[in-house]
Amino acid sequence: MVINPDNYGLRLFVRYLVLCLIALIFIFPLVFMINSSFKPDSQLLADTSSLRAFLPVGDISLDNYFGAFQRAPVGLFVFNSVLVTGMTVVLSLLICSLAAFSFTFLRWKGRDVMLSIVIATLIIPFEIIAIPLLLLVSKLPWIGLNGLELGWLNTYRVQIIPWIADGLTIFLFVQYFKGLPGELIEASRVEGASWWQVYYRVVMPLSGPVLATAAILKFLVMYNQYLWPLIVVQQENHRPVMVGLGYFFQLNVAWGEVMAYLTLITVPVLIFYLFLQRAFIASIASTGVKG
Amino acid sequence: MAEVSFKGVKKSYGRVDVVKGVDIHINDGEFVVFIGPSGCGKSTLLRMIAGLEDITEGTLEIGGRVVNELQPKERGVAMVFQSYAIFPHMTVRENMAFGLTIAGASKPEKEQKVAEAARILQMEHLLDRRPSQLSGGQRQRVAIGRAITRKPAVFLFDEPLSNLDAALRMDMRMEIGRLRRQLGATMIYVTHDQVEAMTLADRIVVLKDGEVMQIGAPMELYHEPANRFVAGFLGAPSMNFLIVDILDLDGEAATVGNQSLEPIRVATRSRPFRKGGKAILGIRPQYLREAPSGKGMLHGTVALAERLGSETVVDLMLRDDRELIAAFDEDKIFEPGDALELIFDTALAHLFPEDG
């Protein structure tokens, strides 16, 4: 079939067709997961060879969900993950944007070298520093409610603090800040703003898009944490969702319960994404200004 | 008191000197325009006053106080930028009150000062809009309004009208002139537009390659340029420069001429010349008049004639194949190839040494 390049309607149709196909590829596993979470294992396994796997048909019930809650403290795991992820995202946006602000707008000796080093850390895989980091945090002191303690293992802070600052987030902010009109910063300086005031009154309100991007990326990294919490948290009360998945693969695997658990732990991700998507669009709308 | 004084001020970026020892004194309440071609250092000087550029050498005083090491906010200046630099996430009202908010002013004080500035700039109806809902001219008025509300000792304008179209530029120029009379503050204005410089300034500072070429009132610079650069930079069309031979030299005047120019006597204005040497004769196109045949001082043929209605600008090819522009303040008809003889008042001509 020859497509007439002038035929706008047809081109639009083809475009949407391709988009829908791509969307389907991404949505199939999700649909399979949700449908399977309502099916008993026997039916779930039988359905995998047909399209029924993607349809809520057959023996539908909430049994898997009850089973999942009996097998593992799902609520606690979700709470732990949301707490660790939320705290890290908020602190990361604050610390990394401040660092990037300094790298972009302030003049200090060694600034460019320091920025190069920060960006260079992007190429180091976490697996390489995991063990040295583990040795470090296992001996780090902490002053808490119980006075001075040694070692951070089995805490929330060990899952949060090492992840707050990272090269990628700082780099994202630096790139965005460099794109802001320099005269806006200079104007606020001449108007009497301190650097701190420039940061929170001018730069941050104009940084909606990069805040949303950095938040989404950080959220996904943190919510999907597996290796680090696996080695630093040995007790159940601080364990996050991904490590919690291990509870479902001991002895007899109940696939329906696995699917129910996965469905439950996906909910916070969807809520976060939908929330940020709105913020993202709003921020773009308010910054579309050019002199 | 808001005098501004540059004393031996230099600015270098590494080995490149962009400002090479500048001495300028600006009086309280004066409107001074810095003018010059791109890269002459005019914006750098302005940014030094604002505190946005460090000073490599020399001292800068505002109101008798050395401000070299002071932060922008400690200098009592306000600046209007070429790109307006108004905050897109704030309303006009918030933009105008920004400096006051930073200074911790009370809400009634902010309201009153913003209202006053809005009244002066006739933009009361725009206060709740966002910058994206304003035209270029309105945005520039917001930027000016933001400067006014703080009542600074010195206003700095960095090519504020460059981004506006011609008609709006004229309106805003007149508005800045009016504002200046109303506020009476010291104003320093950077531009490369000589019309803005000539119409707004009490004094003009002409800069070239980081050095001051001349400082003076607009008409002083126009009629008595200190050198060939100033002479050529101010005035449109720009001054004609002819290479002439110095035929005779006596005291205050020289007799000069060349192949196209009959010998004339021109005042040397104490500039050094050598008999038998070359010099540059400057004549403004507006001072040239048509002469009856055989009575002209300059001889050439018309290459191109532009009729502008109130004025006719003629591009003339002289006998020695050099170009000359003549501007007649009436509508005249010339055809390319017409022979033309011109005369001028030699008292209005300028003689410059060959090296400038």
Side-chain angles (χ1 to χ4, degrees):
Chain A
M1 188 179 74
V2 178
I3 298 170
N4 178 1
D6 296 330
N7 192 332
Y8 179 72
L10 188 62
R11 274 192 299 158
L12 206 64
F13 173 74
V14 172
R15 192 179 300 167
Y16 273 93
L17 192 70
V18 172
L19 286 175
C20 286
L21 279 173
I22 295 171
L24 276 179
I25 291 169
F26 279 94
I27 216 164
F28 265 152
L30 210 63
V31 173
F32 172 74
M33 178 186 81
I34 294 169
N35 280 315
S36 302
S37 72
F38 298 108
K39 297 174 184 175
D41 271 18
S42 54
Q43 193 199 330
L44 188 160
L45 294 170
D47 283 353
T48 48
S49 56
S50 71
L51 267 180
R52 290 168 62 87
F54 302 105
L55 299 170
V57 289
D59 187 7
I60 299 294
S61 74
L62 288 173
D63 289 352
N64 290 330
Y65 287 87
F66 293 123
F69 274 99
Q70 274 172 1
R71 197 183 274 246
V74 182
L76 176 69
F77 292 164
V78 170
F79 171 79
N80 288 344
S81 270
V82 168
L83 179 79
V84 166
T85 304
M87 292 278 285
T88 315
V89 167
V90 170
L91 291 171
S92 174
L93 292 183
L94 178 70
I95 300 293
C96 293
S97 64
L98 278 170
F101 183 87
S102 172
F103 282 128
T104 316
F105 300 116
L106 306 186
R107 281 179 231 161
W108 41 278
K109 217 170 182 175
R111 183 185 76 166
D112 295 342
V113 175
M114 195 67 93
L115 180 61
S116 307
I117 293 171
V118 167
I119 292 171
T121 62
L122 285 177
I123 60 169
I124 302 172
F126 175 71
E127 287 73 11
I128 287 181
I129 58 164
I131 301 304
L133 196 60
L134 171 67
L135 294 175
L136 178 73
V137 296
S138 65
K139 297 194 169 62
L140 275 180
W142 181 264
I143 299 172
L145 294 173
N146 306 324
L148 184 71
E149 303 164 30
L150 268 187
W152 288 14
L153 300 183
N154 294 312
T155 57
Y156 288 126
R157 65 177 176 269
V158 75
Q159 299 178 69
I160 295 172
I161 294 172
W163 294 89
I164 291 173
D166 73 294
L168 178 65
T169 313
I170 292 174
F171 177 67
L172 279 176
F173 276 109
V174 166
Q175 287 302 104
Y176 185 83
F177 289 168
K178 279 185 178 166
L180 289 175
E183 290 192 338
L184 282 184
I185 313 300
E186 292 180 342
S188 30
R189 291 286 290 157
V190 175
E191 287 296 307
S194 62
W195 283 117
W196 175 243
Q197 285 167 322
V198 173
Y199 169 79
Y200 79 88
R201 282 193 189 275
V202 179
V203 172
M204 277 298 109
L206 295 176
S207 298
V210 69
L211 284 169
T213 310
I216 287 172
L217 292 178
K218 197 74 180 182
F219 182 94
L220 291 177
V221 167
M222 292 310 295
Y223 200 73
N224 291 330
Q225 283 283 1
Y226 180 73
L227 177 63
W228 183 244
L230 188 69
I231 58 179
V232 295
V233 179
Q234 276 89 41
Q235 293 162 2
E236 196 172 80
N237 53 351
H238 291 106
R239 200 162 275 167
V241 288
M242 291 305 162
V243 179
L245 194 56
Y247 283 58
F248 295 87
F249 291 97
Q250 295 160 349
L251 296 175
N252 52 339
V253 179
W255 287 105
E257 289 179 10
V258 171
M259 295 301 164
Y261 180 73
L262 290 176
T263 306
L264 285 169
I265 68 173
T266 306
V267 172
V269 181
L270 289 177
I271 293 174
F272 182 76
Y273 175 74
L274 291 175
F275 166 74
L276 262 200
Q277 193 192 26
R278 291 184 62 183
F280 187 74
I281 292 167
S283 65
I284 287 177
S286 67
T287 49
V289 177
K290 173 83 176 75
Chain B
M1 275 289 285
E3 296 176 337
V4 178
S5 281
F6 288 92
K7 291 178 180 167
V9 168
K10 290 184 184 172
K11 172 74 188 175
S12 311
Y13 293 105
R15 288 184 185 173
V16 183
D17 299 329
V18 287
V19 175
K20 302 166 185 168
V22 161
D23 293 281
I24 304 170
H25 181 81
I26 296 161
N27 298 315
D28 185 26
E30 198 175 17
F31 196 120
V32 170
V33 172
F34 292 171
I35 193 169
S38 295
C40 69
K42 56 189 188 296
S43 284
T44 308
L45 284 178
L46 199 75
R47 292 166 58 80
M48 282 177 176
I49 304 173
L52 298 172
E53 295 281 354
D54 295 333
I55 295 167
T56 312
E57 210 179 306
T59 55
L60 172 66
E61 294 177 12
I62 299 177
R65 190 169 57 130
V66 176
V67 297
N68 286 40
E69 302 298 326
L70 294 189
Q71 290 292 311
K73 63 175 178 182
E74 298 167 302
R75 299 185 179 208
V77 300
M79 186 158 171
V80 177
F81 293 83
Q82 181 179 353
S83 66
Y84 322 135
I86 50 177
F87 308 116
H89 58 293
M90 298 179 193
T91 62
V92 169
R93 188 188 305 277
E94 289 163 342
N95 261 290
M96 288 171 68
F98 184 80
L100 299 169
T101 307
I102 293 291
S106 66
K107 207 173 170 193
E109 185 189 351
K110 284 195 279 187
E111 285 295 323
Q112 182 242 323
K113 288 192 171 162
V114 168
E116 190 186 334
R119 183 183 51 74
I120 293 172
L121 295 165
Q122 295 154 15
M123 52 188 298
E124 290 108 321
H125 59 296
L126 302 175
L127 287 177
D128 293 314
R129 292 206 194 161
R130 287 198 180 261
S132 56
Q133 298 165 305
L134 303 177
S135 68
Q138 288 170 332
R139 287 181 201 184
Q140 194 54 289
R141 288 229 288 274
V142 176
I144 294 171
R146 185 174 63 193
I148 294 175
T149 49
R150 280 195 302 130
K151 293 209 171 13
V154 181
F155 281 91
L156 307 173
F157 296 89
D158 191 4
E159 308 208 25
L161 310 184
S162 303
N163 281 4
L164 304 178
D165 61 52
L168 205 53
R169 203 178 304 166
M170 192 171 135
D171 288 348
M172 284 302 290
R173 198 172 68 219
M174 291 164 83
E175 185 139 344
I176 289 174
R178 185 172 59 82
L179 201 65
R180 180 265 159 106
R181 287 189 294 279
Q182 262 175 303
L183 301 175
T186 307
M187 294 188 175
I188 304 172
Y189 189 106
V190 161
T191 183
H192 58 258
D193 182 319
Q194 55 167 299
V195 179
E196 285 170 29
M198 300 294 276
T199 52
L200 289 170
D202 292 325
R203 280 194 304 155
I204 296 175
V205 178
V206 183
L207 294 145
K208 183 194 172 197
D209 297 336
E211 288 176 282
V212 174
M213 293 284 108
Q214 190 173 1
I215 304 177
M219 286 309 129
E220 186 186 331
L221 265 58
Y222 186 81
H223 293 299
E224 291 299 331
N227 51 43
R228 187 177 156 187
F229 176 80
V230 176
F233 195 80
L234 294 178
S238 50
M239 186 182 271
N240 293 296
F241 294 112
L242 305 176
I243 300 173
V244 291
D245 302 312
I246 300 177
L247 307 172
D248 196 12
L249 201 59
D250 61 277
E252 295 299 300
T255 305
V256 297
N258 68 12
Q259 208 183 332
S260 322
L261 176 73
E262 302 292 336
I264 55 166
R265 264 174 66 83
V266 184
T268 57
R269 294 176 169 85
S270 307
R271 292 184 186 120
F273 295 102
R274 186 173 53 80
K275 186 179 172 183
K278 300 271 186 196
I280 306 288
L281 181 73
I283 316 161
R284 293 208 181 272
Q286 293 81 359
Y287 295 159
L288 292 165
R289 282 172 287 121
E290 207 178 344
S293 181
K295 301 251 171 103
M297 296 172 177
L298 278 163
H299 307 271
T301 49
V302 174
L304 182 74
E306 292 177 315
R307 294 170 64 196
L308 306 175
S310 62
E311 187 182 39
T312 306
V313 179
V314 180
D315 190 352
L316 214 65
M317 197 56 78
L318 297 178
R319 281 180 189 165
D320 58 355
D321 278 345
R322 290 184 187 274
E323 262 184 282
L324 182 94
I325 305 285
F328 304 112
D329 58 357
E330 57 186 321
D331 186 22
K332 286 179 176 251
I333 300 171
F334 295 103
E335 290 299 328
D338 284 355
L340 195 60
E341 290 185 32
L342 300 169
I343 52 167
F344 56 91
D345 182 350
T346 53
L348 299 175
H350 295 268
L351 201 60
F352 302 107
E354 207 180 1
D355 56 8

